Amino acid sequence: MTIQGLHHITLVCSDAQQTVDFYTRVLGLRFVKKTVNFDDPGSYHLYFGNEEGQPGSVVTFFEWPGAARGYPGIGGTHHFAMVVSNYDGLLKWKRRLTDLGIAVKGPFDRHYFVSIYLNDPDGTIIEIATRGPGWTIDEDPDRLGTAFREPPREVIVSNRDKERIQAVTWPEPVPAITPDMELLEGMHHITAIGSDIGRTHAFFGELLGLRRVKMTSNFDDPGSAHWYWGVGDGRPGTLITYFERSPSKERRMRMGAGQTHHFALAVPNPDTQLEWREAPS
């Protein structure tokens, strides 16, 4: 019963047209489908992705008109990340978004990739992340995820230098999305928040059979765990990551605009899906 990677993420938006404008005109995704929520036919369901709407590229939204904003927390996602081909493309995104009046944080060195962060109109946290240098920068390929890896101290220190980070951008305006900026490769990863990282591993690693590819700490909160699961060598598009947060310090997620309704994993065919449905938990 093989899981192939991420299929899609579904979020809540408060205004369908606002969401279409942002994800197509700003981020350059293709608007691949407009239908209704099959469980709530009174609301729109919007789909964005690459040119063919392939699994792993798809970001969808339920429109709840005028919905109040939710907030992230335990039991929900923190953000989702899209793949950009290289560091130059990442810096071009920072310049383009900043020139459009959209606040951007980063670039931050995550040791395994480099990324920037922004918010969509409903406050959803979006990360744009490079493909590399990858998981083997501090572990052998056949030993991925078998030992805890402390974030390099120099990376933690560098990521706290706000003035330096603010100054790093592409040197000239970027009026159009260039080929090295295109986000059509799809999602890089989805990051959620849990309260017990061991229990999370029991679900994703042991029950669902995903490979744990990294055990490290949250680079912005080194006292808390951040683990990654994926398929094969942990390629982008297969990755689910979790921050571990204490219930005494982190509130539970509140559903609303800007928050994730669910995310989906891809399987090869309906027979495999049926096997998963009938499998003992």
Side-chain angles (χ1 to χ4, degrees):
M1 296 192 298
T2 304
I3 288 176
Q4 298 177 316
L6 302 176
H7 190 283
H8 67 268
I9 186 170
T10 295
L11 302 110
V12 175
C13 70
S14 61
D15 184 295
Q17 189 60 58
Q18 175 180 255
T19 299
V20 170
D21 290 344
F22 180 82
Y23 282 89
T24 59
R25 297 181 182 178
V26 176
L27 295 186
L29 301 185
R30 183 180 184 186
F31 187 20
V32 297
K33 187 75 66 177
K34 179 176 77 171
T35 181
V36 296
N37 182 338
F38 286 15
D39 299 317
D40 178 16
S43 62
Y44 283 125
H45 191 182
L46 312 172
Y47 295 72
F48 305 89
N50 64 14
E51 287 299 311
E52 298 177 355
Q54 293 171 317
S57 77
V58 179
V59 180
T60 94
F61 289 85
F62 295 151
E63 185 200 33
W64 296 353
R69 284 196 179 186
Y71 50 71
I74 292 172
T77 65
H78 184 269
H79 65 271
F80 73 93
M82 305 291 290
V83 179
V84 68
S85 60
N86 56 47
Y87 185 66
D88 282 354
L90 188 73
L91 295 188
K92 289 179 183 179
W93 269 117
K94 181 177 180 180
R95 180 61 187 263
R96 175 171 167 79
L97 293 166
T98 302
D99 287 350
L100 290 172
I102 297 170
V104 176
K105 296 180 180 179
F108 295 111
D109 182 356
R110 299 312 190 191
H111 196 42
Y112 312 108
F113 50 87
V114 184
S115 61
I116 60 173
Y117 298 82
L118 61 141
N119 296 91
D120 80 359
D122 281 307
T124 300
I125 301 171
I126 302 170
E127 182 179 11
I128 301 177
T130 62
R131 281 192 161 274
W135 311 118
T136 57
I137 193 172
D138 58 6
E139 285 185 295
D140 292 334
D142 60 347
R143 299 289 296 168
L144 292 179
T146 59
F148 177 78
R149 298 292 170 178
E150 192 73 44
R153 186 177 183 280
E154 62 272 18
V155 171
I156 299 297
V157 172
S158 178
N159 283 344
R160 291 173 177 168
D161 188 343
K162 294 182 180 180
E163 290 187 7
R164 180 194 62 79
I165 292 169
Q166 181 75 17
V168 177
T169 190
W170 194 249
E172 56 193 29
V174 184
I177 297 171
T178 58
D180 60 342
M181 296 171 65
E182 291 180 346
L183 303 178
L184 301 182
E185 293 185 57
M187 284 184 283
H188 188 283
H189 63 268
I190 295 170
T191 293
I193 304 173
S195 60
D196 184 331
I197 203 71
R199 185 171 61 184
T200 302
H201 177 65
F203 181 76
F204 286 103
E206 297 171 9
L207 179 62
L208 298 186
L210 296 180
R211 182 184 186 186
R212 185 175 60 200
V213 296
K214 196 63 62 178
M215 292 188 289
T216 185
S217 297
N218 185 331
F219 282 31
D220 300 319
D221 179 20
S224 63
H226 188 186
W227 290 12
Y228 297 71
W229 296 265
V231 173
D233 60 358
R235 65 187 182 277
T238 74
L239 295 163
I240 298 167
T241 96
Y242 265 77
F243 297 150
E244 182 184 52
R245 301 278 171 78
S246 168
S248 65
K249 297 180 180 179
E250 181 85 17
R251 60 192 176 183
R252 290 198 63 82
M253 172 269 226
R254 185 179 75 181
M255 180 55 70
Q259 294 305 303
T260 299
H261 185 275
H262 66 272
F263 59 85
L265 303 175
V267 294
N269 52 55
D271 288 341
T272 305
Q273 185 183 60
L274 183 61
E275 287 184 63
W276 275 113
R277 191 187 75 175
E278 301 301 324
S281 59

